[in-house]
Amino acid sequence: MRINYAHLNNPFRSLREVAKQLLNTLFLTAAAVLLIGGCASELKTKQAQGFAPGEKLLRVAVLPLERSDNGQDEVAQMFREELYANLQEGPYELVEMQKTDAALKELGAQTPKQAKELLAKNPEGLRNALGADAVLQGRIVAWSLTYLAIHSDVKLEVEESLVDLSTNEELMRVSKGVVRSSGLTKIPTGLIAAGTSPIMGLTKGVQQRVIDDLARDIALVMSGQKLEGGKS
């Protein structure tokens, strides 16, 4: 058997290979530009005549969000929690979410759809059970996660309505959406495989950011404040 000693005669070969790998890594870092971009859909608001957030102290319960399929359960709960947290800085007195959920269960409303039906049929009963003046009833208008090779899009649109439990009148409605893109671009073909592995984890972070941003914006508008850019 013949042994190839060529690599021993060239001590710089292994160094060249290490340098090549290092350059590839640096090139990937420089050329694979990380994109986290986004755009927001048009903010839509509707407000009852004579109603102004904060003009009168309202005790408000945040109901679970209605959704179109079970795949939205996690994002619906995450958004509800973020909305509740952001509204604590607003002009409302909030009913604890645990108390809200317990009251809904006691009234036989096990799902967001049943809670919506309960609100339509028996707002007075809901008012007494919650000890609230109004409820925030929301629904997920659109939710999607799209993966295209080394690129992904996260889209979320939510509508929230503030409903007076004494009159069943809609006091205010806010609808807004966010689309964010993330991924790696301008990657040489031979380096694509090296660049794809972070995308799944990256998208999870972008997903949380989309939920946080949208919950904050809707809470601000519901509180009577203006968003950045002068929109309210």
Side-chain angles (χ1 to χ4, degrees):
M1 181 179 68
R2 184 177 180 181
I3 301 176
N4 186 358
Y5 292 98
H7 65 287
L8 296 178
N9 295 329
N10 189 352
F12 298 104
R13 179 178 177 181
S14 59
L15 291 176
R16 284 202 304 269
E17 290 176 352
V18 171
K20 183 179 178 181
Q21 292 176 0
L22 180 60
L23 286 173
N24 281 344
T25 301
L26 292 174
F27 186 74
L28 176 62
T29 304
V33 180
L34 175 63
L35 294 180
I36 302 181
C39 62
S41 68
E42 181 185 359
L43 171 68
K44 299 176 183 178
T45 62
K46 182 180 178 182
Q47 199 163 310
Q49 187 175 5
F51 173 74
E55 191 173 86
K56 177 184 176 183
L57 180 62
L58 293 177
R59 184 166 167 78
V60 177
V62 181
L63 301 184
L65 276 77
E66 189 178 5
R67 49 267 201 189
S68 58
D69 61 65
N70 292 333
Q72 297 174 349
D73 286 352
E74 182 181 6
V75 68
Q77 181 60 24
M78 290 170 66
F79 181 85
R80 183 190 180 203
E81 291 172 357
E82 286 299 324
L83 181 64
Y84 182 92
N86 280 278
L87 283 170
Q88 288 182 317
E89 304 297 324
Y92 305 109
E93 180 185 348
L94 300 180
V95 179
E96 292 182 4
M97 284 202 298
Q98 288 183 337
K99 182 177 179 180
T100 298
D101 293 341
L104 290 173
K105 186 176 181 180
E106 186 177 334
L107 292 170
Q110 305 282 350
T111 65
K113 183 178 179 180
Q114 290 173 342
K116 180 180 179 180
E117 293 171 351
L118 177 64
L119 175 60
K121 295 177 181 178
N122 187 16
E124 186 65 26
L126 190 56
R127 180 174 182 267
N128 293 334
L130 292 171
D133 303 304
V135 293
L136 263 176
Q137 178 188 36
R139 69 184 182 97
I140 295 180
V141 178
W143 165 249
S144 64
L145 288 173
T146 305
Y147 297 96
L148 296 173
I150 55 171
H151 177 84
S152 67
D153 289 324
V154 180
K155 177 182 179 181
L156 176 62
E157 184 176 353
V158 174
E159 180 183 84
E160 287 282 349
S161 296
L162 183 65
V163 181
D164 189 325
L165 291 175
S166 297
T167 62
N168 210 20
E169 176 189 12
E170 184 181 68
L171 301 175
M172 192 172 185
R173 184 194 307 168
V174 178
S175 177
K176 192 174 186 289
V178 173
V179 179
R180 287 198 184 277
S181 301
S182 62
L184 302 171
T185 60
K186 300 181 181 179
I187 300 178
T189 304
L191 297 178
I192 288 179
T196 55
S197 57
I199 297 301
M200 294 294 289
L202 175 65
T203 302
K204 201 72 175 175
V206 175
Q207 173 183 328
Q208 182 66 57
R209 184 175 172 184
V210 164
I211 293 171
D212 293 350
D213 289 350
L214 191 55
R216 182 200 62 230
D217 286 353
I218 290 181
L220 283 173
V221 178
M222 277 288 179
S223 300
Q225 299 185 46
K226 291 183 178 295
L227 300 182
E228 292 182 7
K231 294 182 179 182
S232 61

